[in-house]
Amino acid sequence: MASKKDRSQIRKLAETLRIPITEAILQSFKNISRREGQNFTLFAACPNSEAVLKAAFLAAKRANAPIKFAATLNQVDFDGGYTKWSQEQFVQRTFEFAQEVGYQGPVIIGLDHGGPYLKDLQRIQNWPFERAMAAVKESLSSCLLAGYDLLHIDATVDPTFKGRASVPMEIVVDRTVELIEHVEYVRAERRLPPISYEVGTEEVEGGMTEPEDFRRFLELLKGQLLKRNLQNVWPCFIVGRVGTDLHTTTFSPNTARKLAEIAAAYGSVIKGHYTDYVANLEAYPASGVGGANVGPEFSDAEYSGLMNLVEMEDKLASEGKVASLSNLNQILKSAVVTSRRWEKWRRGNELGRPFDELSLERQSWLVRTGCRYIWTEDRVVEARRKLYWNLLGNGVQAEKLVLEKIVEVMMKYFRAFNLVESLPKIENELLSRQMQQ
């Protein structure tokens, strides 16, 4: 269980107050904002590699801020995912890194996009809906038992709805509540403490693109939870479409502000996904966005850091200081292409064309974006080990340079979201609340 290993003072206070850790932090931010006039956005890192996981703790320690992880089922699942971590192994690795780095703040473990067909394998193999739903329930149970703090329930995708642009909202709500009901049943059966929920999506399939749809979704959700005697369960995060997606980095403050006002009326905050590379990050807290997920940008930073090392290795080899090259850049490209993961990002005239026929610019983008899927492949791991060894033999702290490259990107988010030095504020807020009880 995460709570048994994260013994931060903030988590202890949240447990004393009987508030799930995510909501304890969000409520603290809300109260602090009222007094100080400054909003906060809780930053979540998608843990797509060991390097990203470790860098997150280095950055959180440097920022003196809480850290939250949002792991997809493609990344972490009972079958290993592309990180080769089960939920239990992921939680264990998380707290090993926290201890190694010396981070003493709260660690929030979250699931990102928990729903049918949001795991690539289910779409690729054309699973029937019943099988996909059963697998998601098993994954949710694994998350709960491993000690996750927050579950994102996303029931908006169903490719069996042929000829329709999206799953009808009523069905999305029914399936969302069915998955929440399953988690709550397992939680009660195991006598586990309450957890937090996140619902909704920014995706096109079932995405709530208009404020009216957003409000209607929440009304339907409220009614269905009440109908199933789950009136005490309510999501702290509602995912909203705020202008960003995988190919767009334009955040819309006006849209976010409207959605944030609607969510606030229901006691929730909105969260933005695909926050990678957004230029106007400071607008997130200013617009009332309570949370934001970032992932591909960190893989990009990891890739860039490694390519810098490859250049160093090439230079050392030309000077006769490296006997045998790692060839990591070539091995990474080959692994991405062989994985076929890149195919889902083909667009327009790229459809059906082999990788080598695409423009060099697109090939580069696809490798940088797709490398997160193949970091754990044996040939990639071995090439990376060789690269680090070649550089270490020449006095270069290779791993440290890669981690610092990722940390630099993460610090941009901690600063823009007003999270730097926020741990003392959260702790004081919870202490004050405890004294009032």
Side-chain angles (χ1 to χ4, degrees), residues 101-176:
V101 168
Y103 174 74
Q104 298 181 341
V107 181
I108 302 171
I109 308 291
L111 169 69
D112 191 24
H113 291 295
Y117 301 108
L118 287 163
K119 187 168 181 173
D120 290 348
L121 180 68
Q122 296 175 7
R123 290 207 209 189
I124 293 170
Q125 296 184 352
N126 297 314
W127 285 20
F129 174 75
E130 292 75 15
R131 183 184 177 192
M133 196 70 162
V136 170
K137 289 180 179 178
E138 184 178 355
S139 297
L140 292 173
S141 296
S142 296
C143 292
L144 181 67
L145 297 177
Y148 278 44
D149 298 297
L150 179 140
L151 300 178
H152 175 201
I153 307 298
D154 182 357
T156 59
V157 177
D158 186 350
T160 66
F161 273 85
K162 301 294 184 181
R164 300 195 64 157
S166 62
V167 181
M169 189 179 292
E170 291 80 3
I171 294 177
V172 170
V173 171
D174 285 345
R175 292 175 178 178
T176 298

Side-chain angles (χ1 to χ4, degrees), residues 62-77:
R62 188 175 300 178
N64 201 23
I67 184 64
K68 178 179 179 294
F69 295 103
T72 69
L73 295 178
N74 282 321
Q75 291 163 351
V76 178
D77 203 2

Side-chain angles (χ1 to χ4, degrees), residues 49 51-52 296-310 328-330 332-333 336 363-372 374-375 384 387 402 405-406:
S49 73
V52 168
E297 188 173 0
F298 301 145
S299 271
D300 195 346
E302 184 173 358
Y303 177 85
S304 295
L306 288 169
M307 292 306 100
N308 289 343
L309 297 183
V310 167
L328 178 62
N329 53 337
Q330 298 171 30
L332 277 176
K333 177 182 176 180
V336 169
Q363 287 185 37
S364 175
W365 185 90
L366 289 167
V367 171
R368 297 174 77 95
T369 303
C371 63
R372 63 182 184 269
I374 48 83
W375 289 133
R384 185 173 187 151
L387 173 65
V402 173
K405 190 84 172 177
I406 304 170

Side-chain angles (χ1 to χ4, degrees), residues 256-267:
R257 197 171 292 112
K258 291 176 184 176
L259 298 183
E261 289 174 359
I262 296 170
Y266 289 83

Side-chain angles (χ1 to χ4, degrees), residues 275-321:
T275 311
D276 313 74
Y277 309 107
V278 170
N280 54 336
L281 287 175
E282 292 79 5
Y284 274 70
S287 305
V289 178
N293 289 2
V294 186
E297 188 173 0
F298 301 145
S299 271
D300 195 346
E302 184 173 358
Y303 177 85
S304 295
L306 288 169
M307 292 306 100
N308 289 343
L309 297 183
V310 167
E311 289 182 10
M312 290 185 197
E313 184 188 40
D314 287 341
K315 185 173 185 300
L316 290 167
S318 69
E319 297 169 356
K321 297 177 181 178

